[in-house]
Amino acid sequence: GRARPGQPQPQGPPQPQPKSRELFRSQRKESEGSVDCPNLEFEYGDADGHGAELAELYSYTEEPELSTNRRCFQEDFHAQAQGRRWLELDGAQQKAYVMRLLDALEVVNRDKRLKVARAILYLAQGVFGDCDNDGDVLHWSRHNSFLLYRLGTFTAFLELLNMEIDNSQACSSALRKPAISLADSTELRVLLSVMYLMVENIRVEQEEDPPEWRTCRETFRMELSFPVHTDEPFALLLFTMVTKFCSGHAPHFPMKKVLLLLWKVLLFTLGGFEALQAMKVRRREELGLPPLPEDSIQVMRSMRAASPPTYSVELVEQQQQQKRGHRSRRPLVKQDSLDIYNERDPFKNDEAGVDEEENDDVDSGIEGELDLVERDTIIPTVPAQRPPIERVSFPKGLPWAPKVRQKDIEHFLEASRNKFIGFTLGQDTETLIGLPRPIHESVKTLKQHKYVSISDVQIKNEEELEKCPMSLGEEEVQETPCEILYRAMLYNLPQYMIALLKILLAAAPTSKAKTDSINILADVLPEEMPVTVLQSMKLGIDVNRHKEIIVKSISASLLLLLKHFKLNHIYQFEYVSQHLVFANCIPLILKFFNQNIMSYITAKNSISVLDYPHCTVYDLPELTAESLEAGDNNQFCWRNLFSCINLLRILNKLTKWKHSRTMMLVVFKSAPILKRALKVKQAMMQLYVLKLLKIQTKYLGRQWRKSNMKTMSAIYQKVRHRMNDDWAYGNDIDARPWDFQAEECTLRANIEAFNSRRYDKPQDSEFAPVDNCLQSVLGQRLELPEDFHYSYELWLEREVFSQPIRWEELLHYQ
């Protein structure tokens, strides 16, 4: 059998000698992860903490508006409540006051309407003027959001939002301006802020919530998912705002708030990652499929990050150390499982190159293939500083149960029958006559690990429905929030995907400012630009934070759409993913990762004292250039790590099982870009990077695999195994003829057939019954144009009488 990457080989490497002990220790330290890249204690989830999600709604330049909202509320409230505070009112009084405010919204005067909307926003922000700490503000924000929703505030604000979107005067004045600022989107920002606070506060569940709040939550979810007053779900209105902004017709739209609200509405109506897992389990039960082999969320949470591969800079340092006298005695010979019987290969270049793509791991000391427990048997005295926890943190065995597809079993049997009996039996996987005993055992093992996905069942059903549309009758489609959203998005879906990717490109840190790119900073730039260095630094942090939040919301929205559509119907997922691919999503994500990803993940683009709700209840300390440069003390930026994982997951979804798209990864030289991302010591992020590397290793050549054995080993340890997948060797890969264009065209034809069958019913009259009765057909009243009776004689002469009847032609049709 072949030597498998990641497994210890029979002969152990030589013991390190005392003289080389220092070099050995330094190399060992590198192999276990360099000092600048600690293990990141990050827990992936649907969203960040409740306070952090509310804080990201506001830019730092919007901070003065918080006191404006408070003033608008207090001017009105003191006139009504005479010296009392909001917190002192009982439920009935609070309800009566909110009803008064909602009545006051029904005025023509824009300024008066804005003042009332600001007062309502102050309530949704948690009446911070009456609170003493952050917790109180968040508590009252939730309490008031439920109160506002029960009294119909969301519907009232939805009407106002529709009015503002259609406000052509605001659009034309924004188009005429040379520079758009925060002031151009004031009304829209107030409306969207109220709606966002209501959606986010009601969406988040807490144990102490009273039963009526739970009822409210379900009602609100239904209202957002199943439209009553309009023909489309609320998310579609937000998608329309995004496309209108990208087309240049409404440059003043506050895009960050729109995208955050869109993400939270999708999360609320469709469900988060744990809800998705539960839906998947339930769906498999309904289809009679065996249960999932494991809960992927739990497996990933228990994974441990691997040491990142060694990089060219470190390789140069090692070479210099070796040249200074350690050359003759190498501490540990490289465990190269593809070259195990020739460890001192005379043709292997001793001078490790510094080309990052080709020679990343050559001569890099201890490789990551050995477990620490196994390492201990070949390593002599270990320094006392070594943390003892490392010993037990390696999981026993592989984390994932292997999977086999039906196609894999068919291909295996086809090859075996060709080899042993000289003919094949098509898709028959039961008949094993004439095959030797080991093949019987192999088939048995493959069938034990056979995995039938929901997508496989859906594709098979679709083929049958296409084949027999009459006999199978109408398909029963469940009216889920996902189905309703897809139906509403269907005809403009390409534009929505292009718009989201355009904004993502403009917000990516690697993008250069171009004159033709869209301006996504309209809702962060103040009217008066900064004059001092401190103000410029503060605005610079604000702009970077603004872009990071946009990337976070778009990446999370796209991932949710892909995952939910895939569960709802595979061809809905394929339609979205194909349009993302056509809009250059794959190179865009690779461009995003082609930066110093560690510095992006540890970026300090936030000023914690200016974050809501902290800035509303505490006096602000004097900001200095030093305090702004220092940033917060967090080990990493949650939103940036979250965005990176989302983008990697999207890239995985787009390329999985698609040869043409995998080749795009190869053509765009994604391997070195992805390898650099392995420097981030976070297990989940590493897993998705390794998955992307695994699908293309067979195309990267033997030299790449030889030079990157540590990465190959990490793939073996962390990524799920497909039993007869030849990913690590890629034998005769060039000999396989694949027409990549045909693959995408076939997929597109299947998607179009699905969409027309299910969603184009009014136009599809192919199977409508035909009326063959002459009297009935002639007796039908036809709507003729008004001028027909003036020209009908001429028409009869030209079309009927002057046309000779060729009776002999009828004989040919008999």
Side-chain angles (χ1 to χ4, degrees), residues 39-103:
N39 274 306
L40 303 182
E41 298 299 322
F42 169 83
E43 190 168 319
Y44 184 80
D46 293 325
D48 202 348
H50 187 51
E53 290 295 341
L54 296 187
E56 288 180 356
L57 178 64
Y58 312 104
S59 305
Y60 297 141
T61 42
E62 282 182 276
E63 191 200 327
E65 294 190 19
L66 291 168
S67 49
T68 310
N69 300 341
R70 180 180 175 181
R71 195 175 61 251
C72 289
F73 173 80
Q74 286 179 339
E75 282 173 8
D76 186 77
F77 185 70
H78 289 318
Q80 301 299 318
Q82 273 111 27
R84 295 180 70 188
R85 294 163 66 214
W86 174 260
L87 312 188
E88 294 168 1
L89 302 183
D90 61 29
Q93 290 168 323
Q94 288 181 349
K95 202 180 279 187
Y97 180 70
V98 171
M99 291 298 282
R100 245 199 96 269
L101 283 178
L102 290 175
D103 285 343

Side-chain angles (χ1 to χ4, degrees), residues 225-357:
S225 312
F226 303 97
V228 180
H229 306 297
T230 57
D231 297 334
E232 54 199 32
F234 177 57
L236 201 78
L237 176 70
L238 300 172
F239 272 119
T240 311
M241 286 184 79
V242 173
T243 47
K244 203 171 176 186
F245 171 80
C246 283
S247 64
H249 297 313
H252 66 298
F253 280 2
M255 239 339 88
K256 185 188 83 174
K257 284 184 167 53
V258 173
L259 292 165
L260 277 172
L261 182 54
L262 173 61
W263 167 37
K264 291 303 168 63
V265 167
L266 292 175
L267 188 56
F268 187 27
T269 55
L270 304 181
F273 300 126
E274 291 193 359
L276 256 166
Q277 188 76 1
M279 284 156 71
K280 194 173 181 181
V281 169
R282 198 165 60 246
R283 197 72 183 275
R284 288 184 71 82
E285 276 178 21
E286 287 168 7
L287 294 171
L289 295 172
L292 292 166
E294 70 275 291
D295 184 339
S296 51
I297 295 172
Q298 294 308 318
V299 174
M300 279 186 275
R301 279 182 184 159
S302 61
M303 272 190 175
R304 182 183 173 280
S307 308
T310 323
Y311 283 80
S312 17
V313 180
E314 295 161 357
L315 289 172
V316 174
E317 286 171 7
Q318 285 176 30
Q319 286 165 30
Q320 287 168 352
Q321 283 179 319
Q322 286 172 345
K323 284 173 186 171
R324 284 198 290 269
H326 297 292
R327 194 65 179 262
S328 56
R329 289 175 179 171
R330 293 175 63 188
L332 277 179
V333 176
K334 179 172 165 41
Q335 290 267 322
D336 189 338
S337 51
L338 294 182
D339 229 352
I340 193 63
Y341 300 113
N342 189 9
E343 296 204 335
R344 291 284 183 184
D345 186 352
F347 301 104
K348 191 180 281 183
N349 186 3
D350 241 347
E351 292 284 327
V354 293
D355 185 309
E356 185 171 319
E357 186 173 354

Side-chain angles (χ1 to χ4, degrees), residues 490-507:
L490 180 61
Y491 294 107
N492 290 317
L493 197 137
Q495 288 91 307
Y496 300 146
M497 295 304 114
I498 290 167
L500 287 175
L501 292 183
K502 264 189 179 178
I503 299 170
L504 185 61
L505 176 63

Side-chain angles (χ1 to χ4, degrees), residues 613-630:
H614 187 279
C615 64
T616 59
V617 285
Y618 299 106
D619 293 331
L620 299 183
E622 193 177 344
L623 293 173
T624 61
E626 290 75 28
S627 67
L628 288 183
E629 272 180 358

Side-chain angles (χ1 to χ4, degrees), residues 593-622:
F593 279 97
N594 195 15
Q595 59 169 313
N596 184 340
I597 208 72
M598 271 308 295
S599 67
Y600 184 71
I601 277 165
T602 54
K604 308 281 189 197
N605 290 316
S606 57
I607 308 165
S608 49
V609 291
L610 294 182
D611 279 341
Y612 167 90
H614 187 279
C615 64
T616 59
V617 285
Y618 299 106
D619 293 331
L620 299 183
E622 193 177 344

